[in-house]
Amino acid sequence: MSPLPTRMIDRWQNRNEPDPGQGTIYWHILLGDQPEAQDLAEATQKRLSNFPGLHMTPLQWLHVTTLVVGPTSEITDEQQQEMLGTASGLLAEIPPTEVTLSRVLYHPEAISLAVHPTGSLIKISKAIQTATLKVTGCKGHTEGPSRWIPHMTLAYSEAEQPAEPLITVLGQELPARAITIDALYLVLQQGPERLWDWHPIGRVPLLGHHRPT
């Protein structure tokens, strides 16, 4: 388990942002339509609402970032559609998976919930990387450490402040909620991250089909 941070920092202070009129293409697991995820996020965000310097994830856009594909200046509309088609063939072999939200993850830039178990999620991530590489010639990248840790972010830090009061309020474990992941979404994020100007391009379901042997 990663050590707990002692201080929160401004996530966006030195973060590169898209130029005017530009955006970023992502693969996300969108969770905004999952009542269990929404209820847990809303209750947790209320507990954090008295703290300044926190930017809450809109409930509509609760998500697990699976892959950052790249800027819209480099990913054409045709490639986006081709990625959806390629990913559909790969993800059709992976069945919907039930995961749990409970463990709180603290990072100097954000407060999140771990999504576990991760076995099926790693398979999904590898399939998405394969589809992206085949179409664009690049694997894309994950945010943060090189080892992908599936998580649903509840709040981003936009100020310097001690982390201990936040950790004291939430602790490290919340009442567990089970959710079912049954699809991946290719999403256009228009402009800076914190504006939440998101536009889903397409949905790829997890079907659990097996290729004949």
Side-chain angles (χ1 to χ4, degrees):
M1 185 177 295
S2 301
L4 297 174
T6 58
R7 293 195 64 79
M8 308 298 288
I9 63 175
D10 184 352
R11 174 178 175 84
W12 294 295
Q13 184 174 7
N14 298 307
R15 193 175 180 86
N16 291 328
E17 296 185 335
D19 293 329
Q22 296 295 313
T24 308
I25 304 296
Y26 290 83
W27 284 106
H28 285 310
I29 299 168
L30 296 181
L31 302 176
D33 62 348
Q34 298 252 8
E36 294 290 335
Q38 275 223 8
D39 290 348
L40 183 58
E42 185 173 23
T44 307
Q45 288 175 345
K46 283 182 179 177
R47 292 168 65 179
L48 294 170
S49 61
N50 290 330
F51 290 93
L54 292 178
H55 177 98
M56 306 297 180
T57 303
L59 297 180
Q60 176 189 1
W61 296 124
L62 293 170
H63 65 282
V64 178
T65 299
T66 310
L67 192 70
V68 185
V69 179
T72 53
S73 58
E74 298 177 7
I75 310 297
T76 66
D77 292 348
E78 291 77 12
Q79 286 176 316
Q80 294 168 29
Q81 293 305 314
E82 191 175 346
M83 275 192 291
L84 287 167
T86 304
S88 292
L90 296 171
L91 293 177
E93 301 176 36
I94 302 175
T97 181
E98 184 173 287
V99 296
T100 300
L101 304 171
S102 63
R103 185 162 62 91
V104 186
L105 302 177
Y106 294 96
H107 184 277
E109 294 183 356
I111 299 171
S112 307
L113 296 179
V115 183
H116 60 89
T118 62
S120 292
L121 299 178
I122 298 300
K123 292 180 182 178
I124 291 169
S125 174
K126 289 181 177 178
I128 287 300
Q129 287 182 10
T130 298
T132 301
L133 177 62
K134 182 176 181 180
V135 174
T136 69
C138 299
K139 282 186 177 180
H141 64 90
T142 57
E143 292 191 321
S146 56
R147 182 174 69 88
W148 183 54
I149 301 174
H151 61 278
M152 182 182 81
T153 300
L154 302 172
Y156 297 92
S157 176
E158 52 186 5
E160 293 263 355
Q161 63 178 310
E164 183 180 8
L166 299 168
I167 297 169
T168 299
V169 164
L170 291 186
Q172 298 187 57
E173 198 80 22
L174 299 176
R177 300 292 185 95
I179 60 174
T180 298
I181 292 173
D182 61 3
L184 266 286
Y185 291 81
L186 193 65
V187 177
L188 164 62
Q189 173 193 287
Q190 193 71 44
E193 179 182 51
R194 60 189 176 277
L195 296 183
W196 298 102
D197 188 7
W198 283 20
H199 304 271
I201 299 164
R203 177 182 184 273
V204 181
L206 305 177
L207 299 175
H209 294 165
H210 295 285
R211 292 177 178 173
T213 56

